[in-house]
Amino acid sequence: FGAQYDNPLSGVLQFNQRRGSRDKWNRNVRVSASETALTLDGPISRKSGAETTFIGSIRRSYLQFLFEALGLPFLPIYNDYQFKWTARPNDKNAITVIGLGALDDFELNLGIADDTAATNYLDQVAILGALDVQKQWNYTQGVRWDNYRDNGKWTFVASRNMLNNRAFKHQDNDTEAPLIRDYVSQEIENKFRVERKVFGDNGWEGTFGAGYEYVKYNNSTAEQRYNPSEGVLESVTFESDLKAHKYGAFGTMNRKVLDERLTLAAGFRLDGSTLGDGLRNPLEQFSPRFSASYAFAPGWTLNANTGKY
């Protein structure tokens, strides 16, 4: 994986959202067996040498009705959205704002316990007694500014993402009864990255940059656990509040030689974090890598790479 990516273990999946239409507004409504969705995209403004476009979509599932008809013990409800706003005020600058998020609920199908004559009644009651009600939401928001130069470009990126996960359980699934389990966790990342891409006169390309993150993880757990030896419920509580600063720098260079049949690339990363004393010095987390790609025949390429993580 490229040196510009921090914190991967084995690889990176990169998705590029398409821009909104530059010519006209488009609407698309989709209805399927499990969900319905709406997408809008088009130009917000168009002037001489400048333009702004937008694309956004929302989606909601109705799997809960299918699961309820099938008599399943849980009812999933999915909602999500995404959008992309792109502005090109001139030929030298581009600003992009993106956002995506989801709201997911997993409710219990308590109605299946009403049919006491069902052959699987006891199994259904046992499953309902073990399942939690789950409510989860997440979002990612980010803004990117590209400033184009004669020999490359500057890129500045700022973003924030958050995941909030809650699971709870009422005694006997009675919402008026006390909670016997209440779990809440949050994962939050605030990021900033700057990159400089350079195109050299003799065919080489280079990308250099640095990044900073402020990360948080919170957990609150309160649970009643049955002690079989004592025959009583015991209270278990747990709290955590983890915060850390992360920082890093990277650089890559590549060049094509031998009539552009051989591509050579080298890069490095330096990463540090306040999570532990042994992680604070980025020089102790120096990660170099090198790769080569040789097109030795039409349609045939030999690739090799090595690195230290």
Side-chain angles (χ1 to χ4, degrees), residues 29 41 50 55 80 96 106 108 137 165 173 189 191 193 199 223 228 236 259 268 282 285 296 303:
V29 178
D41 75 292
I55 181 171
D80 58 51
T96 304
F106 292 82
L108 300 182
W137 54 262
N165 187 25
N173 294 319
E189 294 179 326
K191 303 181 180 183
R193 186 176 78 255
F199 300 100
E223 188 173 12
V236 177
D259 296 328
F268 73 91
Q285 282 76 239
F296 61 89
N303 302 299

Side-chain angles (χ1 to χ4, degrees), residues 252-279:
T252 62
M253 292 186 63
N254 65 78
R255 183 181 180 184
K256 293 183 178 181
V257 296
L258 301 180
D259 296 328
E260 298 190 350
R261 297 175 61 187
L262 176 63
T263 302
L264 303 175
F268 73 91
R269 274 203 69 86
L270 295 168
D271 287 292
S273 172
T274 61
L275 188 62
D277 292 338
L279 303 176

Side-chain angles (χ1 to χ4, degrees), residues 45-303:
S45 66
R46 293 194 67 182
K47 299 178 181 179
S48 177
E51 64 179 18
T52 303
T53 61
F54 175 84
I55 181 171
S57 67
I58 56 175
R59 182 175 58 168
R60 179 178 175 85
S61 75
Y62 31 81
L63 280 173
Q64 67 274 22
F65 301 121
L66 176 61
F67 279 45
E68 186 174 15
L70 294 175
L72 297 178
F74 57 93
L75 307 176
I77 305 172
Y78 303 108
N79 307 270
D80 58 51
Y81 75 91
Q82 61 176 314
F83 70 86
K84 182 176 182 179
W85 178 90
T86 306
R88 292 293 303 266
N90 50 54
D91 294 336
K92 296 293 185 180
N93 295 279
I95 302 173
T96 304
V97 180
I98 68 167
L100 60 152
L103 173 63
D104 304 327
D105 290 335
F106 292 82
E107 300 178 353
L108 300 182
N109 186 8
L110 300 179
I112 62 175
D114 296 336
D115 187 7
T116 57
T119 56
N120 61 343
Y121 171 73
L122 294 179
D123 293 336
Q124 299 284 35
V125 171
I127 293 175
L128 288 174
L131 289 178
D132 293 335
V133 177
Q134 299 183 30
K135 296 183 179 294
Q136 182 183 99
W137 54 262
N138 64 82
Y139 67 82
T140 298
Q141 313 286 353
V143 57
R144 170 175 176 155
W145 172 33
D146 290 309
N147 177 247
Y148 297 92
R149 304 296 179 93
D150 293 337
N151 64 339
K153 70 173 181 176
W154 283 95
T155 298
F156 303 88
V157 182
S159 67
R160 174 183 170 92
N161 61 79
M162 180 175 180
L163 167 65
N164 187 92
N165 187 25
R166 187 185 181 210
F168 60 91
K169 184 74 172 179
H170 289 276
Q171 186 174 353
D172 299 325
N173 294 319
D174 182 359
T175 57
E176 301 297 328
L179 286 170
I180 59 175
R181 183 160 51 250
D182 193 6
Y183 167 86
V184 179
S185 67
Q186 294 181 332
E187 300 177 28
I188 305 168
E189 294 179 326
N190 303 278
K191 303 181 180 183
F192 177 77
R193 186 176 78 255
V194 57
E195 295 181 8
R196 176 68 165 108
K197 179 169 286 188
V198 181
F199 300 100
D201 296 332
N202 54 357
W204 65 269
E205 299 178 9
T207 303
F208 311 91
Y212 165 78
E213 294 183 34
Y214 176 57
V215 299
K216 296 176 62 178
Y217 174 74
N218 308 314
N219 185 306
S220 174
T221 302
E223 188 173 12
Q224 298 288 326
R225 297 180 182 176
Y226 180 71
N227 186 335
S229 62
E230 300 292 336
V232 296
L233 289 176
E234 296 180 346
S235 297
V236 177
T237 59
F238 175 78
E239 297 279 347
S240 69
D241 184 12
L242 178 65
K243 302 176 182 178
H245 301 272
K246 298 169 61 179
Y247 38 89
F250 65 90
T252 62
M253 292 186 63
N254 65 78
R255 183 181 180 184
K256 293 183 178 181
V257 296
L258 301 180
D259 296 328
E260 298 190 350
R261 297 175 61 187
L262 176 63
T263 302
L264 303 175
F268 73 91
R269 274 203 69 86
L270 295 168
D271 287 292
S273 172
T274 61
L275 188 62
D277 292 338
L279 303 176
R280 295 178 182 271
N281 185 358
L283 294 177
E284 297 183 3
Q285 282 76 239
F286 177 67
S287 302
R289 71 280 314 274
F290 173 79
S291 65
S293 178
Y294 181 58
F296 61 89
W300 290 87
T301 303
L302 179 64
N303 302 299

